[in-house]
Amino acid sequence: MKRSLIFLSLLLPVTAVAQQPQAAQPSTARPAAAPAATGARPAAATAPAAPAQQLTPAQQAQLEKQNAEMSAAALQAARLVDGGQTAQLWDGASAVARKAVTRDTFTKQVSADRARLGALVGRGQPSISRVRFNAGAAVPEGLYLNVTYPTRFANSPQPVRELVSFRLDEDKVWRLAGYSVRSPGT
């Protein structure tokens, strides 16, 4: 089933496949970003109850298409941060992310993190992970898709993990759930 992806306050003409992790897409044990750039790590993520299943060729094609679409959306979000337009990210974020952190706190934290790292030098190839959080986790319940880049900045001798997270909201639309940059090992 295809759904329109509303990304931020921009209507990005992209389609996303609503995920059914127990059948179509495997969840991973990799943690999602907190709904904001708070640096908190999730307490618990759960894998699907059903045993892992092989994807059909059609499901694999849908997954690859979604990965490409979400990578493009994540790159657009990162470029907004690059351009100092962090407040626009918060404006179009998932309601759970906006509830978790104020616009002012989000923009100040992301701006401070990026200022500390210096000018953007370049982004590597993205990697994508998916995780479902159940009620009671440190992150609001739901399905999350994380796009991670190894990103180089002028003030960091090693690439930094740049993470853009999306949450599949109740209306089956992927919206921004968080953005963070972390040095290796943190």
Side-chain angles (χ1 to χ4, degrees):
M1 172 165 46
K2 294 184 179 179
R3 301 280 183 199
S4 294
L5 172 67
I6 298 177
F7 178 70
L8 313 174
S9 57
L10 314 168
L11 294 177
L12 186 63
V14 178
T15 58
V17 177
Q19 296 191 29
Q20 304 300 321
Q22 294 160 330
Q25 288 86 19
S27 280
T28 64
R30 290 178 60 179
T38 61
R41 300 207 56 121
T46 59
Q53 299 176 0
Q54 287 283 46
L55 298 179
T56 67
Q59 290 170 327
Q60 185 63 38
Q62 284 181 330
L63 186 64
E64 290 171 8
K65 180 180 178 191
Q66 184 183 55
N67 285 351
E69 292 166 347
M70 297 307 290
S71 291
L75 185 57
Q76 184 175 357
R79 287 180 175 160
L80 285 172
V81 173
D82 296 343
Q85 299 173 345
T86 308
Q88 287 183 353
L89 286 177
W90 189 92
D91 291 343
S94 174
V96 297
R98 292 192 319 266
K99 184 186 274 188
V101 66
T102 67
R103 184 180 201 242
D104 188 52
T105 300
F106 178 77
T107 57
K108 284 181 181 175
Q109 182 64 51
V110 171
S111 297
D113 288 345
R114 289 292 297 269
R116 177 180 46 82
L117 291 168
L120 174 71
V121 174
R123 285 187 180 90
Q125 290 297 312
S127 64
I128 296 176
S129 64
R130 292 162 176 81
V131 65
R132 175 176 297 281
F133 288 95
N134 290 330
V139 174
E141 180 178 12
L143 181 62
Y144 292 81
L145 185 143
N146 303 303
V147 181
T148 306
Y149 295 94
T151 306
R152 297 198 61 92
F153 292 96
N155 297 343
S156 179
Q158 297 180 359
V160 170
R161 182 183 68 124
E162 184 177 31
L163 177 67
V164 182
S165 291
F166 298 93
R167 180 179 186 270
L168 185 62
D169 284 340
E170 288 70 18
D171 61 358
K172 303 296 182 207
V173 175
W174 289 102
R175 291 191 178 87
L176 185 83
Y179 172 88
S180 66
V181 285
R182 293 196 182 112
S183 299
T186 60

